[in-house]
Amino acid sequence: MSFMKLKAISTLLTVINFINNNNNKKSGQWWQSLHRTMLRGVLGKTFRLVGYTIQYGCIAHCAFEYVGGVVMVPMGHVWLEGDNLQNSTDSRYYGPIPYGLIRGRIFFKIWPLSDFGFLRASPNGHRFSDD
């Protein structure tokens, strides 16, 4: 049975239960009681959803602002970032940079940690054109 069918059956049984439990009350009171109960359930779920959305939004903001983001740097390009996040004109502004525009040489590797240290040769296997 699908979830929607089970939910409809559950709601119908709730209505029947309210009617049976409130037969001795006036005819309008059971409807008001049912309406109030269902409204509380909907409002509770809505507030929970809004609360979770705000929490996860704050977590995502902090992760991308202070830890890092995922960038899909194209073949033959690199992603360059400066150390001053507030005042750096780098790949966050220009986008990926082609290898041909790089005028420097890598001499130290920090990631992955298994390869941490000074490099003896160019990591991409060739020398730059201005050497």
Side-chain angles (χ1 to χ4, degrees), residues 57-70 81 85-86 92:
C58 290
I59 291 169
H61 167 73
C62 290
F64 286 117
E65 186 70 25
Y66 302 110
V67 177
V70 177
E81 287 191 21
L85 292 176
Q86 307 305 327
R92 289 172 290 165

Side-chain angles (χ1 to χ4, degrees), residues 21-39:
N21 288 337
N22 294 304
N23 269 339
N24 55 356
K25 296 182 180 179
K26 293 182 182 176
S27 62
Q29 288 180 343
W30 69 267
W31 178 252
Q32 292 171 353
S33 177
L34 174 65
H35 184 58
R36 236 184 333 240
T37 302
M38 292 178 77
L39 183 63

Side-chain angles (χ1 to χ4, degrees), residues 16-113:
I16 292 171
N17 190 23
F18 264 90
I19 293 171
N20 287 337
N21 288 337
N22 294 304
N23 269 339
N24 55 356
K25 296 182 180 179
K26 293 182 182 176
S27 62
Q29 288 180 343
W30 69 267
W31 178 252
Q32 292 171 353
S33 177
L34 174 65
H35 184 58
R36 236 184 333 240
T37 302
M38 292 178 77
L39 183 63
R40 284 184 191 146
V42 169
L43 285 176
K45 289 179 183 178
T46 302
F47 284 130
R48 271 196 301 273
L49 177 65
V50 169
Y52 287 137
T53 302
I54 291 171
Q55 285 176 345
Y56 290 127
C58 290
I59 291 169
H61 167 73
C62 290
F64 286 117
E65 186 70 25
Y66 302 110
V67 177
V70 177
V71 178
M72 299 302 282
V73 182
M75 293 297 287
H77 291 73
V78 293
W79 187 264
L80 302 175
E81 287 191 21
D83 59 353
N84 186 349
L85 292 176
Q86 307 305 327
N87 192 19
S88 289
T89 304
D90 51 22
S91 289
R92 289 172 290 165
Y93 182 76
Y94 292 110
I97 309 296
Y99 282 136
L101 295 178
I102 297 175
R103 294 285 183 196
R105 184 171 296 152
I106 300 170
F107 65 92
F108 198 81
K109 188 173 185 180
I110 60 171
W111 196 262
L113 291 176

